[in-house]
Every structure is written in structure tokens, then in C-alpha cells.
Amino acid sequence: MEVDRRAFIASIGGAAVVATMEHEAKAEALEHYMEDKLDEMVAEQAGQPEKFPTVAEIEAQIETRPYRRGTGGVFTGQRGQNVKRIEPMPDKPTIQDFFRLRFAPANHVLQSATRAMKTGMSEEIILACLLHDCVLSLIKPDHGWWGAQLFEPYIPEKSAFAIRYHQTLRFYPDAEAGYEYPDQYYRIFGHDYQPPEYIANTYKMLKNHKWYMEPRLVTVNDLYAFDPNAKVSIEPFTDIIGRHFKQPKEGLGYDNSPSAHMWRTLARPDNPL
Ligand SMILES: [Fe+2]
Ligand SMILES: [Fe+2]
């Protein structure tokens, strides 16, 4: 199968990201890319649209994995492989240190925030986009709530609100705002998935909330397709972080905030207790 080099490099976040990847990681990314392309080609040749799994098919995969799908990214090896040693965090870690050592490569959030910046979103929304899925390194189910809790002591209330509720609004299209239900969700939840009642109730609450547009704008910028021209670096967000993220002088994890233990868990995922 022929590989479109430019598309491949773009798909993993651009040349700058490729330059920082180890050989093994590159090989794995290429394998991933080719698998996806192959699936696409097979579907195209058959003249059929992509076939999404059912909820039952997804459930049937549970016992085929040595980990649960809700496990945070720092706790599992890639695709069932053994985990690697990770670099220790510096003594007084900042949000930038966590981006570099625990959330990396963070392409998805960096690209969402880049798009939010380009489309003229408020600084609170740009910050929310930058942070909205970072907690997936720690835990995946209810990541909106966990993510908001992790960041809440350090960021504006509107940004925390946007992070908490983007999870809910992802399930509900809003044509006027320019948000469609994502194909990605047919793939990962099943095409016949119905969100549970607490999500439906949260959506009802949000529809009448004066801050509805805050999480909605996170969903509008929440993209999985990589833009080959997007720069994936935290640099462009330095000023926004400086203005809106209250870095504790003791370092994240050591300031006795209500979420300090979550940062420490991210810092030391190999601790047995
Ligand atoms: Fe999310
Ligand atoms: Fe996202």
C-alpha cells in the first residue's frame, strides 16, 4: 500500500512532532495509519459507507483486553504492550511540565485550542479547549467532570464550566452553533448508543443555562481530524496561561488544593498505593 507521506506526517501532528518521536513510536504510528487507510480503502472499494459497530459488539470486546477502556493513558501500554519508564516530574511542576511529561503529545487539545484562537474565541474558551481532555491521562469515564475538578482551583469559573459540560454537549448536535454529532462517537460508543439519563438531564439543564455557549464552543472546536498546517506546540498559549492559570508556587500537587492529589497521581503513576 502506498503511503501519502504528507498526509501521514500531518495525521500524527506535523514534522515537529515526528522529529521528537522515538523509532518505535514512529513505526507504531505508521502501522496505525496504514490500518486505518486499509479499512477506508476496503470500505471504498466495496462502495459502502463505513460500518459502525453496535453497542453489543463493543461490549463483546471487553474481555479481549488486559485493561479497561476507562483507564487513564499514563497507566496502560500502547495497544496492550508493556508500559515504559516515565521521566520524573521536576520538584515544583507547572502546567507546562505536565504537558511535556504527562499529557504529551497532546495533539488533540493543542489543535482544538489553536482552532479556538484562530476563530477568535474568548481567552477563557481558548484555555478550556487547551485543557478540555488532558484528564484522559488520568481517567476516561466522566472526563468532563474529572477534568473540571482537576483544573478548577487554578482557572476561571467559565473555563471550568466549559470543561465540565463539553462531555455532555458532545452527544447533542447544534446546527446553529455548527456542531454535528461526531462519527467518532458511532465508532467508540456504537451507532445505537443512547447517553445515560444523567447526561440527558445535564443537557436539559444546560439548554437553559446562561453559560450554554461556553461548553458548546469547546465542542465546536473539539476536532479529531488533524489540520496539517496547525502548529502543535504550547508556545502560542504561554500568555493565556500566564493570565488565566494560577500556577501554585509550591508546584501542582503540593499546594493542598482540592485536586492536589490528582496531580500527584499523574506525577507518580507507578506508586503501588
Ligand atoms: Fe472531551
Ligand atoms: Fe476533545
Side-chain angles (χ1 to χ4, degrees), residues 143 167 170-171 181-190 224:
H143 74 288
Q167 177 197 338
R170 289 282 267 147
F171 291 106
Y181 190 86
D183 276 1
Q184 168 84 347
Y185 277 24
Y186 291 129
R187 260 173 230 128
I188 65 175
F189 288 102
Y224 284 92

Side-chain angles (χ1 to χ4, degrees), residues 128-199:
C129 288
L130 182 67
L131 305 177
H132 79 280
D133 281 341
C134 287
V135 83
L136 297 180
S137 292
L138 181 66
I139 190 162
K140 293 180 180 166
D142 271 327
H143 74 288
W145 277 271
W146 281 96
Q149 192 176 3
L150 177 69
F151 292 116
E152 215 152 30
Y154 313 104
I155 62 174
E157 205 183 337
K158 264 189 192 169
S159 306
F161 186 92
I163 294 170
R164 176 167 286 115
Y165 295 119
H166 88 277
Q167 177 197 338
T168 297
L169 292 190
R170 289 282 267 147
F171 291 106
Y172 300 93
D174 180 342
E176 212 176 306
Y179 178 73
E180 290 172 13
Y181 190 86
D183 276 1
Q184 168 84 347
Y185 277 24
Y186 291 129
R187 260 173 230 128
I188 65 175
F189 288 102
H191 68 77
D192 49 345
Y193 182 75
Q194 289 299 327
E197 201 182 350
Y198 76 93
I199 293 283

Side-chain angles (χ1 to χ4, degrees), residues 5 22 55 116 139 149 166 170-171 190 235-236 241 248 252 266:
R5 291 182 201 199
E22 284 180 17
V55 170
I139 190 162
Q149 192 176 3
H166 88 277
R170 289 282 267 147
F171 291 106
E235 294 304 317
I241 291 172
L252 289 164
L266 275 166

Side-chain angles (χ1 to χ4, degrees), residues 2-188:
E2 209 160 309
V3 175
D4 176 341
R5 291 182 201 199
R6 284 176 58 145
F8 167 62
I9 291 169
S11 79
I12 50 177
V17 172
V18 177
T20 65
M21 289 168 83
E22 284 180 17
H23 179 74
E24 204 179 323
K26 280 183 209 162
E28 195 176 296
L30 184 61
E31 189 189 324
H32 235 323
Y33 176 82
M34 288 177 49
E35 261 174 35
D36 288 352
K37 283 285 151 203
L38 203 58
D39 288 348
E40 258 174 49
M41 281 162 60
V42 169
E44 263 171 35
Q45 277 192 352
Q48 291 158 352
E50 182 177 348
K51 193 181 170 296
F52 297 115
T54 62
V55 170
E57 282 165 349
I58 286 175
E59 268 179 27
Q61 293 168 2
I62 290 174
E63 296 195 3
T64 68
R65 293 188 200 97
Y67 59 90
R68 296 200 185 274
R69 285 171 94 202
T71 311
V74 295
F75 298 103
T76 53
Q78 292 205 337
R79 313 178 86 203
Q81 291 169 357
N82 285 355
V83 294
K84 301 258 190 292
R85 276 175 187 267
I86 46 173
E87 202 180 311
M89 298 296 297
D91 283 346
K92 295 176 179 173
T94 63
I95 184 67
Q96 284 91 343
D97 292 325
F98 274 94
F99 260 86
R100 188 167 54 88
L101 298 171
R102 294 295 182 272
F103 303 149
N107 286 317
H108 168 63
V109 287
L110 289 168
Q111 296 215 0
S112 297
T114 301
R115 190 188 142 129
M117 205 177 227
K118 272 195 197 139
T119 54
M121 299 290 117
S122 69
E123 294 200 340
E124 284 98 333
I125 291 301
I126 297 170
L127 184 68
C129 288
L130 182 67
L131 305 177
H132 79 280
D133 281 341
C134 287
V135 83
L136 297 180
S137 292
L138 181 66
I139 190 162
K140 293 180 180 166
D142 271 327
H143 74 288
W145 277 271
W146 281 96
Q149 192 176 3
L150 177 69
F151 292 116
E152 215 152 30
Y154 313 104
I155 62 174
E157 205 183 337
K158 264 189 192 169
S159 306
F161 186 92
I163 294 170
R164 176 167 286 115
Y165 295 119
H166 88 277
Q167 177 197 338
T168 297
L169 292 190
R170 289 282 267 147
F171 291 106
Y172 300 93
D174 180 342
E176 212 176 306
Y179 178 73
E180 290 172 13
Y181 190 86
D183 276 1
Q184 168 84 347
Y185 277 24
Y186 291 129
R187 260 173 230 128
I188 65 175

